[in-house]
Amino acid sequence: MQHITNKVAYITGGTKGIGFGIAKVLLEHGVKVAISGRNPADLARAKAELGTDNVLAIQSDVIHFDDEVKAVEEIAATFGQLDVVIANAGVGRFAPVDELSLEDWNTMIGTNLTGVFHTMKASLDQLKKNKGYYISIASLAGTNFFAGGAGYNASKFGVVGFTQAAMLDLRNHDIKCTTIMPGSVTSNFNDHVPSDADGWKIQPADIGEMIVNLLQMNPNVLPSKIEVRPTKTS
């Protein structure tokens, strides 16, 4: 089993939902964590709730490559290294394709797909240096299409394809790449407010524990694509 104490992880979209849940679990396992988001108030709240000096909160919008470059530079300057990158930032806008606006399409593709590329591109030097791990949070919507999901499906199908191809490109640099494809998760996605009614869903901490398992796995083993569903439906 690989030791992960004192490794450094960067989580985009880390102020709430899945990203925040991952951050909490990694901190419990001794990992130093940087989280990013677009909203300064959300970043301040998340950092306060995580309540440790081993957290760095960075304002960054993954749509903008320069933001991600600056984020990685700040992480390396603060913690001295970057070992794990978790591309989690995502948005959803759902409408039939004939009603889907250009703005909503561009926001989803820019955040969910191009943002994943920006985060990887900005962090590659650190990942190569530290024989790191890159994890994208996709969705079962990246393999199962549905009405009203044309833009979201396109972005998540793209994330799955991108991460799998990148895995082949980067494994000879000793960089592991995995895409995780969750089904229903209790989160704040699309302005949802979690409640007791979400108890049947995957919890953000479950995704965090899955990532811990990946990081602790034998270096010769690579689960490159993981589909995960709730045990039961509501």
Side-chain angles (χ1 to χ4, degrees):
M1 183 176 69
Q2 296 295 295
H3 296 290
I4 63 174
T5 301
N6 291 323
K7 286 191 177 294
V8 177
Y10 173 37
I11 306 165
T12 67
T15 63
K16 59 184 71 172
I18 292 174
F20 185 78
I22 293 169
K24 287 184 68 175
V25 172
L26 291 181
L27 286 165
E28 290 167 1
H29 284 81
V31 178
K32 298 175 183 177
V33 170
I35 57 173
S36 69
R38 295 175 296 179
N39 187 302
D42 287 343
L43 286 163
R45 174 197 47 76
K47 181 174 173 57
E49 289 182 10
L50 292 170
T52 170
D53 292 336
N54 288 330
V55 176
L56 178 65
I58 303 170
Q59 186 174 0
S60 179
D61 185 341
V62 297
I63 286 179
H64 304 301
F65 178 64
D66 288 348
D67 281 9
E68 288 299 276
V69 171
K70 291 175 183 176
V72 170
E73 289 174 347
E74 185 173 351
I75 294 164
T78 301
F79 292 129
Q81 66 195 69
L82 176 58
D83 307 286
V84 181
V85 175
I86 301 164
N88 168 73
V91 296
R93 304 286 187 268
F94 303 100
V97 68
D98 55 319
E99 299 176 13
L100 184 64
S101 70
L102 289 174
E103 180 183 3
D104 285 347
W105 170 272
N106 289 330
T107 297
M108 282 187 287
I109 297 299
T111 303
N112 300 357
L113 180 53
T114 305
V116 167
F117 170 66
H118 285 168
T119 302
M120 174 179 281
K121 191 74 171 176
S123 60
L124 273 176
D125 285 347
Q126 282 290 321
L127 292 176
K128 287 179 179 180
K129 178 182 176 181
N130 298 306
K131 298 182 179 180
Y133 209 135
Y134 183 90
I135 298 168
S136 64
I137 306 299
S139 168
L140 289 181
T143 192
N144 301 317
F145 51 85
F146 55 90
Y152 189 71
N153 283 141
S155 70
K156 292 302 186 178
F157 270 71
V159 169
V160 173
F162 169 78
T163 310
Q164 294 295 280
M167 176 268 296
L168 298 177
D169 291 338
L170 297 176
R171 59 184 176 177
N172 289 328
H173 293 282
D174 294 315
I175 298 172
K176 287 185 172 185
C177 293
T178 298
T179 188
I180 298 175
M181 304 166 66
S184 298
V185 180
T186 298
S187 76
N188 304 90
F189 181 73
N190 215 28
D191 298 323
H192 176 70
V193 178
S195 69
D196 291 343
D198 295 313
W200 62 275
K201 298 178 181 178
I202 299 165
Q203 301 304 305
D206 299 329
I207 305 298
E209 291 292 348
M210 185 177 298
I211 288 173
V212 168
N213 291 337
L214 288 171
L215 299 180
Q216 291 178 332
M217 204 165 282
N218 186 307
N220 295 329
V221 177
L222 176 59
S224 58
K225 182 170 66 173
I226 300 171
E227 295 187 8
V228 55
R229 297 167 169 80
T231 305
K232 299 179 180 180
T233 57
S234 59

